[in-house]
Amino acid sequence: MLSRRSFILNSSMAAAAALLIPSFACVASDKKLVGLQLYSLRDELPKDVKGTLVKVAKAGFKEVETYGFSIKDQFWGLTPAEFKKLLDDNGLTAPSGHYGLGSYLTDGNTEELKAAIAAAKVLGSEYVTIPWLDESIRKSANDYKKIAVKINEAGKLAKEAGIRLAYHNHNFEFEKQGDTTGYEILLKGTDKNLVDFELDLYWVVRSGNDPIKLFKENPGRFTMWHVKDMDKANPALNAEVGTGSINFKPIFADAKLSGMKHFFVEHETNYKPNPIESVAASCAYIKKEII
């Protein structure tokens, strides 16, 4: 999930240039900003946070989504205030961050949750986003109902601090739990005044579901998206947006119905030829063909 983009003035050259010159791939112009989930650059970011953020900014990004925060190491050895300064220095904002809240979801310990909210406040973020559920706590419909209760409680704590709580999906949430799914339980069991959802479009499609159907059934709940394409030959691999099997145009056409405020390109696998150039190509396609 670590990624990047480039700044391009000549739209006819965007796709090719993004592959060859990532620092010129994507320009914000007057269109909706294309965000970057920093996990896309996970191999290089922890080694050189400052240098990587410089590259992200030069690529034309204005928004990022963080990952990797811990109470011990903070943001790769940087305090939230130090990390915020690097973002500011590069003209970047972080509307959302992925924060591991395993201890809270497992045993109700609020230490991680409170630290995440505090860090998000320092960064000026709108959202603290739950990125994952450990397999041990999601084995049944009843488990998902308990998780929904805990997410609501976390949402209350976040709201008191002026932050929204969000939940990011993979594909396991769409597995059947009796006559429903884990995702349906989370959607119905969480308070829309407290909890938003970050819809990972790749994992929705990978699970055999339709994002637009979810929008229609739950209007306004999906305030953030992850945008990554699916390799045509091997669905387990990502592809640059526009080269895979997902048709993003009708999905983006229903962005208002979704409630989408921010979206982040994210690549987890299958970089061609490398993470920065791969995501630069996705950015260029989105700018040129979708928005």
Side-chain angles (χ1 to χ4, degrees):
M1 289 155 108
L2 277 166
S3 132
R4 129 111 359 123
R5 278 132 231 192
S6 256
F7 178 77
I8 274 266
L9 294 176
N10 187 342
S11 62
S12 67
M13 298 292 289
L19 287 170
L20 297 174
I21 316 173
S23 61
F24 292 103
C26 227
V27 96
S29 71
D30 59 347
K31 298 181 180 180
K32 184 177 289 291
L33 300 177
V34 179
L36 172 65
Q37 174 29 278
L38 289 174
Y39 181 77
S40 306
L41 301 173
R42 61 193 171 277
D43 291 334
E44 114 181 46
L45 182 65
K47 301 173 186 175
D48 183 9
V49 180
K50 181 178 180 179
T52 301
L53 291 181
V54 169
K55 293 176 185 177
V56 169
K58 286 182 177 179
F61 292 109
K62 294 296 182 182
E63 294 185 342
V64 298
E65 184 174 49
T66 67
Y67 81 100
F69 175 82
S70 71
I71 293 175
K72 179 182 177 182
D73 296 323
Q74 306 285 287
F75 290 104
W76 308 285
L78 299 174
T79 67
E82 291 168 337
F83 187 69
K84 173 68 160 60
K85 185 178 186 305
L86 287 182
L87 293 175
D88 290 345
D89 289 347
N90 289 285
L92 299 169
T93 61
S96 173
H98 279 196
Y99 293 88
L101 302 180
S103 64
Y104 170 73
L105 294 170
T106 301
D107 57 27
N109 186 329
T110 61
E111 185 181 14
E112 274 185 331
L113 173 60
K114 290 178 178 178
I117 292 171
K121 286 288 289 182
V122 172
L123 296 186
S125 299
E126 299 170 50
Y127 296 93
V128 164
T129 301
I130 299 170
W132 173 261
L133 298 177
D134 190 87
E135 188 174 358
S136 65
I137 65 171
R138 52 174 169 86
K139 293 183 177 296
S140 67
N142 194 49
D143 283 347
Y144 277 99
K145 291 175 183 177
K146 292 178 181 177
I147 291 168
V149 170
K150 288 186 175 180
I151 290 176
N152 275 332
E153 292 172 351
K156 291 177 184 177
L157 283 174
K159 186 175 183 180
E160 290 171 0
I163 297 284
R164 294 284 292 178
L165 193 80
Y167 179 84
H168 165 270
N169 66 281
H170 289 79
N171 60 343
F172 59 78
E173 295 93 341
F174 296 96
E175 295 171 359
K176 279 292 185 180
Q177 302 290 342
D179 60 355
T180 185
T181 67
Y183 204 62
E184 288 173 350
I185 294 170
L186 294 178
L187 281 166
K188 293 177 181 177
T190 51
D191 185 343
K192 62 180 64 178
N193 294 313
L194 299 173
V195 180
D196 289 352
F197 286 78
E198 180 176 59
L199 199 67
D200 190 304
L201 301 174
Y202 164 84
W203 286 115
V204 172
V205 175
R206 176 87 184 276
S207 69
N209 288 275
D210 179 3
I212 296 174
K213 183 173 184 289
L214 285 172
F215 301 164
K216 292 176 179 177
E217 293 172 347
N218 307 275
R221 295 220 66 186
F222 308 104
T223 54
M224 295 182 290
W225 297 350
H226 275 188
V227 179
K228 54 180 179 279
D229 215 336
M230 184 184 300
D231 187 84
K232 292 178 179 178
N234 183 354
L237 299 178
N238 295 158
E240 285 77 14
V241 176
T243 68
S245 60
I246 299 176
N247 183 2
F248 288 99
K249 291 183 180 180
I251 299 174
F252 272 83
D254 273 334
K256 186 175 181 180
L257 178 63
S258 162
M260 188 266 281
K261 297 177 182 178
H262 306 277
F263 69 90
F264 305 95
V265 168
E266 178 193 47
H267 286 202
E268 295 178 71
T269 58
N270 199 30
Y271 299 115
K272 296 180 293 187
N274 64 41
I276 288 174
E277 292 184 4
S278 183
V279 183
S282 289
C283 179
Y285 177 84
I286 291 169
K287 288 287 186 179
K288 182 174 183 289
E289 302 292 340
I290 298 180
I291 62 174

PDB file of all heavy atoms in Angstrom, residues 107-130:
ATOM      1  N   ASP A 107     -10.043  -6.543  23.769  1.00  0.00           N
ATOM      2  CA  ASP A 107     -10.328  -6.596  25.209  1.00  0.00           C
ATOM      3  C   ASP A 107     -10.834  -5.278  25.791  1.00  0.00           C
ATOM      4  O   ASP A 107     -10.972  -5.136  27.011  1.00  0.00           O
ATOM      5  CB  ASP A 107      -9.087  -7.049  25.985  1.00  0.00           C
ATOM      6  CG  ASP A 107      -7.870  -6.156  25.742  1.00  0.00           C
ATOM      7  OD1 ASP A 107      -8.062  -4.963  25.425  1.00  0.00           O
ATOM      8  OD2 ASP A 107      -6.740  -6.648  25.872  1.00  0.00           O
ATOM      9  N   GLY A 108     -11.113  -4.294  24.927  1.00  0.00           N
ATOM     10  CA  GLY A 108     -11.694  -3.049  25.402  1.00  0.00           C
ATOM     11  C   GLY A 108     -10.700  -2.045  25.964  1.00  0.00           C
ATOM     12  O   GLY A 108     -11.096  -0.985  26.448  1.00  0.00           O
ATOM     13  N   ASN A 109      -9.401  -2.344  25.878  1.00  0.00           N
ATOM     14  CA  ASN A 109      -8.377  -1.413  26.352  1.00  0.00           C
ATOM     15  C   ASN A 109      -8.378  -0.167  25.461  1.00  0.00           C
ATOM     16  O   ASN A 109      -8.165  -0.254  24.251  1.00  0.00           O
ATOM     17  CB  ASN A 109      -7.010  -2.090  26.314  1.00  0.00           C
ATOM     18  CG  ASN A 109      -5.906  -1.246  26.924  1.00  0.00           C
ATOM     19  OD1 ASN A 109      -5.958  -0.020  26.871  1.00  0.00           O
ATOM     20  ND2 ASN A 109      -4.916  -1.898  27.502  1.00  0.00           N
ATOM     21  N   THR A 110      -8.619   0.992  26.049  1.00  0.00           N
ATOM     22  CA  THR A 110      -8.761   2.217  25.254  1.00  0.00           C
ATOM     23  C   THR A 110      -7.448   2.975  25.044  1.00  0.00           C
ATOM     24  O   THR A 110      -7.450   4.038  24.417  1.00  0.00           O
ATOM     25  CB  THR A 110      -9.768   3.169  25.921  1.00  0.00           C
ATOM     26  OG1 THR A 110      -9.299   3.525  27.232  1.00  0.00           O
ATOM     27  CG2 THR A 110     -11.146   2.523  26.013  1.00  0.00           C
ATOM     28  N   GLU A 111      -6.337   2.453  25.533  1.00  0.00           N
ATOM     29  CA  GLU A 111      -5.069   3.184  25.428  1.00  0.00           C
ATOM     30  C   GLU A 111      -4.714   3.468  23.973  1.00  0.00           C
ATOM     31  O   GLU A 111      -4.370   4.599  23.604  1.00  0.00           O
ATOM     32  CB  GLU A 111      -3.947   2.398  26.110  1.00  0.00           C
ATOM     33  CG  GLU A 111      -2.621   3.149  26.140  1.00  0.00           C
ATOM     34  CD  GLU A 111      -1.494   2.362  26.793  1.00  0.00           C
ATOM     35  OE1 GLU A 111      -1.663   1.134  26.994  1.00  0.00           O
ATOM     36  OE2 GLU A 111      -0.451   2.961  27.096  1.00  0.00           O
ATOM     37  N   GLU A 112      -4.761   2.436  23.124  1.00  0.00           N
ATOM     38  CA  GLU A 112      -4.439   2.617  21.708  1.00  0.00           C
ATOM     39  C   GLU A 112      -5.412   3.582  21.043  1.00  0.00           C
ATOM     40  O   GLU A 112      -5.018   4.429  20.239  1.00  0.00           O
ATOM     41  CB  GLU A 112      -4.503   1.269  20.971  1.00  0.00           C
ATOM     42  CG  GLU A 112      -3.239   0.444  21.012  1.00  0.00           C
ATOM     43  CD  GLU A 112      -3.378  -0.797  20.152  1.00  0.00           C
ATOM     44  OE1 GLU A 112      -4.490  -1.314  19.971  1.00  0.00           O
ATOM     45  OE2 GLU A 112      -2.344  -1.258  19.641  1.00  0.00           O
ATOM     46  N   LEU A 113      -6.680   3.414  21.347  1.00  0.00           N
ATOM     47  CA  LEU A 113      -7.710   4.255  20.744  1.00  0.00           C
ATOM     48  C   LEU A 113      -7.493   5.721  21.094  1.00  0.00           C
ATOM     49  O   LEU A 113      -7.534   6.596  20.216  1.00  0.00           O
ATOM     50  CB  LEU A 113      -9.094   3.790  21.207  1.00  0.00           C
ATOM     51  CG  LEU A 113     -10.286   4.660  20.800  1.00  0.00           C
ATOM     52  CD1 LEU A 113     -10.397   4.762  19.294  1.00  0.00           C
ATOM     53  CD2 LEU A 113     -11.580   4.102  21.406  1.00  0.00           C
ATOM     54  N   LYS A 114      -7.263   5.998  22.371  1.00  0.00           N
ATOM     55  CA  LYS A 114      -7.049   7.384  22.793  1.00  0.00           C
ATOM     56  C   LYS A 114      -5.783   7.970  22.177  1.00  0.00           C
ATOM     57  O   LYS A 114      -5.750   9.152  21.792  1.00  0.00           O
ATOM     58  CB  LYS A 114      -6.994   7.460  24.311  1.00  0.00           C
ATOM     59  CG  LYS A 114      -8.350   7.206  24.980  1.00  0.00           C
ATOM     60  CD  LYS A 114      -8.244   7.232  26.496  1.00  0.00           C
ATOM     61  CE  LYS A 114      -9.612   7.015  27.141  1.00  0.00           C
ATOM     62  NZ  LYS A 114      -9.528   6.999  28.627  1.00  0.00           N
ATOM     63  N   ALA A 115      -4.728   7.148  22.058  1.00  0.00           N
ATOM     64  CA  ALA A 115      -3.493   7.611  21.426  1.00  0.00           C
ATOM     65  C   ALA A 115      -3.723   7.918  19.952  1.00  0.00           C
ATOM     66  O   ALA A 115      -3.183   8.895  19.417  1.00  0.00           O
ATOM     67  CB  ALA A 115      -2.389   6.572  21.590  1.00  0.00           C
ATOM     68  N   ALA A 116      -4.517   7.079  19.287  1.00  0.00           N
ATOM     69  CA  ALA A 116      -4.825   7.293  17.870  1.00  0.00           C
ATOM     70  C   ALA A 116      -5.600   8.586  17.681  1.00  0.00           C
ATOM     71  O   ALA A 116      -5.308   9.382  16.773  1.00  0.00           O
ATOM     72  CB  ALA A 116      -5.609   6.105  17.318  1.00  0.00           C
ATOM     73  N   ILE A 117      -6.597   8.812  18.517  1.00  0.00           N
ATOM     74  CA  ILE A 117      -7.399  10.030  18.418  1.00  0.00           C
ATOM     75  C   ILE A 117      -6.524  11.257  18.657  1.00  0.00           C
ATOM     76  O   ILE A 117      -6.623  12.260  17.930  1.00  0.00           O
ATOM     77  CB  ILE A 117      -8.570   9.985  19.413  1.00  0.00           C
ATOM     78  CG1 ILE A 117      -9.580   8.902  18.988  1.00  0.00           C
ATOM     79  CG2 ILE A 117      -9.257  11.337  19.517  1.00  0.00           C
ATOM     80  CD1 ILE A 117     -10.661   8.625  20.017  1.00  0.00           C
ATOM     81  N   ALA A 118      -5.641  11.162  19.658  1.00  0.00           N
ATOM     82  CA  ALA A 118      -4.754  12.289  19.959  1.00  0.00           C
ATOM     83  C   ALA A 118      -3.821  12.583  18.788  1.00  0.00           C
ATOM     84  O   ALA A 118      -3.599  13.750  18.426  1.00  0.00           O
ATOM     85  CB  ALA A 118      -3.952  11.990  21.225  1.00  0.00           C
ATOM     86  N   ALA A 119      -3.269  11.526  18.180  1.00  0.00           N
ATOM     87  CA  ALA A 119      -2.374  11.714  17.039  1.00  0.00           C
ATOM     88  C   ALA A 119      -3.127  12.324  15.861  1.00  0.00           C
ATOM     89  O   ALA A 119      -2.623  13.237  15.187  1.00  0.00           O
ATOM     90  CB  ALA A 119      -1.754  10.380  16.634  1.00  0.00           C
ATOM     91  N   ALA A 120      -4.328  11.829  15.607  1.00  0.00           N
ATOM     92  CA  ALA A 120      -5.129  12.353  14.503  1.00  0.00           C
ATOM     93  C   ALA A 120      -5.456  13.830  14.713  1.00  0.00           C
ATOM     94  O   ALA A 120      -5.463  14.615  13.756  1.00  0.00           O
ATOM     95  CB  ALA A 120      -6.409  11.535  14.362  1.00  0.00           C
ATOM     96  N   LYS A 121      -5.713  14.201  15.952  1.00  0.00           N
ATOM     97  CA  LYS A 121      -5.995  15.604  16.250  1.00  0.00           C
ATOM     98  C   LYS A 121      -4.786  16.486  15.915  1.00  0.00           C
ATOM     99  O   LYS A 121      -4.927  17.562  15.334  1.00  0.00           O
ATOM    100  CB  LYS A 121      -6.356  15.766  17.726  1.00  0.00           C
ATOM    101  CG  LYS A 121      -7.736  15.271  18.090  1.00  0.00           C
ATOM    102  CD  LYS A 121      -8.836  16.180  17.550  1.00  0.00           C
ATOM    103  CE  LYS A 121      -8.883  17.497  18.287  1.00  0.00           C
ATOM    104  NZ  LYS A 121      -9.982  18.368  17.795  1.00  0.00           N
ATOM    105  N   VAL A 122      -3.597  16.012  16.275  1.00  0.00           N
ATOM    106  CA  VAL A 122      -2.386  16.785  15.987  1.00  0.00           C
ATOM    107  C   VAL A 122      -2.196  16.946  14.484  1.00  0.00           C
ATOM    108  O   VAL A 122      -1.806  18.014  13.993  1.00  0.00           O
ATOM    109  CB  VAL A 122      -1.143  16.114  16.618  1.00  0.00           C
ATOM    110  CG1 VAL A 122       0.138  16.804  16.157  1.00  0.00           C
ATOM    111  CG2 VAL A 122      -1.239  16.147  18.145  1.00  0.00           C
ATOM    112  N   LEU A 123      -2.497  15.888  13.723  1.00  0.00           N
ATOM    113  CA  LEU A 123      -2.331  15.939  12.267  1.00  0.00           C
ATOM    114  C   LEU A 123      -3.416  16.759  11.582  1.00  0.00           C
ATOM    115  O   LEU A 123      -3.305  17.059  10.395  1.00  0.00           O
ATOM    116  CB  LEU A 123      -2.334  14.524  11.682  1.00  0.00           C
ATOM    117  CG  LEU A 123      -1.203  13.582  12.092  1.00  0.00           C
ATOM    118  CD1 LEU A 123      -1.289  12.284  11.299  1.00  0.00           C
ATOM    119  CD2 LEU A 123       0.159  14.226  11.905  1.00  0.00           C
ATOM    120  N   GLY A 124      -4.458  17.098  12.323  1.00  0.00           N
ATOM    121  CA  GLY A 124      -5.573  17.814  11.710  1.00  0.00           C
ATOM    122  C   GLY A 124      -6.454  16.908  10.876  1.00  0.00           C
ATOM    123  O   GLY A 124      -7.128  17.370   9.937  1.00  0.00           O
ATOM    124  N   SER A 125      -6.474  15.622  11.203  1.00  0.00           N
ATOM    125  CA  SER A 125      -7.242  14.644  10.439  1.00  0.00           C
ATOM    126  C   SER A 125      -8.731  14.729  10.753  1.00  0.00           C
ATOM    127  O   SER A 125      -9.130  15.149  11.845  1.00  0.00           O
ATOM    128  CB  SER A 125      -6.757  13.226  10.734  1.00  0.00           C
ATOM    129  OG  SER A 125      -5.405  13.052  10.377  1.00  0.00           O
ATOM    130  N   GLU A 126      -9.532  14.287   9.809  1.00  0.00           N
ATOM    131  CA  GLU A 126     -10.975  14.173  10.009  1.00  0.00           C
ATOM    132  C   GLU A 126     -11.350  12.804  10.559  1.00  0.00           C
ATOM    133  O   GLU A 126     -12.352  12.678  11.257  1.00  0.00           O
ATOM    134  CB  GLU A 126     -11.704  14.390   8.683  1.00  0.00           C
ATOM    135  CG  GLU A 126     -11.486  15.743   8.034  1.00  0.00           C
ATOM    136  CD  GLU A 126     -12.049  15.768   6.622  1.00  0.00           C
ATOM    137  OE1 GLU A 126     -13.215  15.371   6.439  1.00  0.00           O
ATOM    138  OE2 GLU A 126     -11.309  16.178   5.699  1.00  0.00           O
ATOM    139  N   TYR A 127     -10.550  11.790  10.225  1.00  0.00           N
ATOM    140  CA  TYR A 127     -10.933  10.417  10.525  1.00  0.00           C
ATOM    141  C   TYR A 127      -9.820   9.623  11.206  1.00  0.00           C
ATOM    142  O   TYR A 127      -8.654   9.749  10.851  1.00  0.00           O
ATOM    143  CB  TYR A 127     -11.283   9.663   9.233  1.00  0.00           C
ATOM    144  CG  TYR A 127     -12.479  10.195   8.500  1.00  0.00           C
ATOM    145  CD1 TYR A 127     -12.324  11.140   7.488  1.00  0.00           C
ATOM    146  CD2 TYR A 127     -13.773   9.748   8.802  1.00  0.00           C
ATOM    147  CE1 TYR A 127     -13.422  11.635   6.794  1.00  0.00           C
ATOM    148  CE2 TYR A 127     -14.872  10.244   8.114  1.00  0.00           C
ATOM    149  CZ  TYR A 127     -14.688  11.181   7.111  1.00  0.00           C
ATOM    150  OH  TYR A 127     -15.780  11.667   6.437  1.00  0.00           O
ATOM    151  N   VAL A 128     -10.227   8.793  12.161  1.00  0.00           N
ATOM    152  CA  VAL A 128      -9.439   7.654  12.616  1.00  0.00           C
ATOM    153  C   VAL A 128     -10.107   6.434  12.007  1.00  0.00           C
ATOM    154  O   VAL A 128     -11.298   6.188  12.230  1.00  0.00           O
ATOM    155  CB  VAL A 128      -9.428   7.538  14.157  1.00  0.00           C
ATOM    156  CG1 VAL A 128      -8.944   6.157  14.592  1.00  0.00           C
ATOM    157  CG2 VAL A 128      -8.540   8.614  14.767  1.00  0.00           C
ATOM    158  N   THR A 129      -9.358   5.677  11.223  1.00  0.00           N
ATOM    159  CA  THR A 129      -9.946   4.572  10.470  1.00  0.00           C
ATOM    160  C   THR A 129      -9.400   3.233  10.958  1.00  0.00           C
ATOM    161  O   THR A 129      -8.189   3.054  11.090  1.00  0.00           O
ATOM    162  CB  THR A 129      -9.657   4.742   8.961  1.00  0.00           C
ATOM    163  OG1 THR A 129     -10.209   5.986   8.519  1.00  0.00           O
ATOM    164  CG2 THR A 129     -10.274   3.611   8.154  1.00  0.00           C
ATOM    165  N   ILE A 130     -10.326   2.306  11.217  1.00  0.00           N
ATOM    166  CA  ILE A 130      -9.977   0.942  11.616  1.00  0.00           C
ATOM    167  C   ILE A 130      -9.656   0.152  10.357  1.00  0.00           C
ATOM    168  O   ILE A 130     -10.517  -0.018   9.487  1.00  0.00           O
ATOM    169  CB  ILE A 130     -11.136   0.273  12.373  1.00  0.00           C
ATOM    170  CG1 ILE A 130     -11.465   1.052  13.645  1.00  0.00           C
ATOM    171  CG2 ILE A 130     -10.814  -1.186  12.689  1.00  0.00           C
ATOM    172  CD1 ILE A 130     -12.745   0.605  14.333  1.00  0.00           C
TER     173      ILE A 130
END
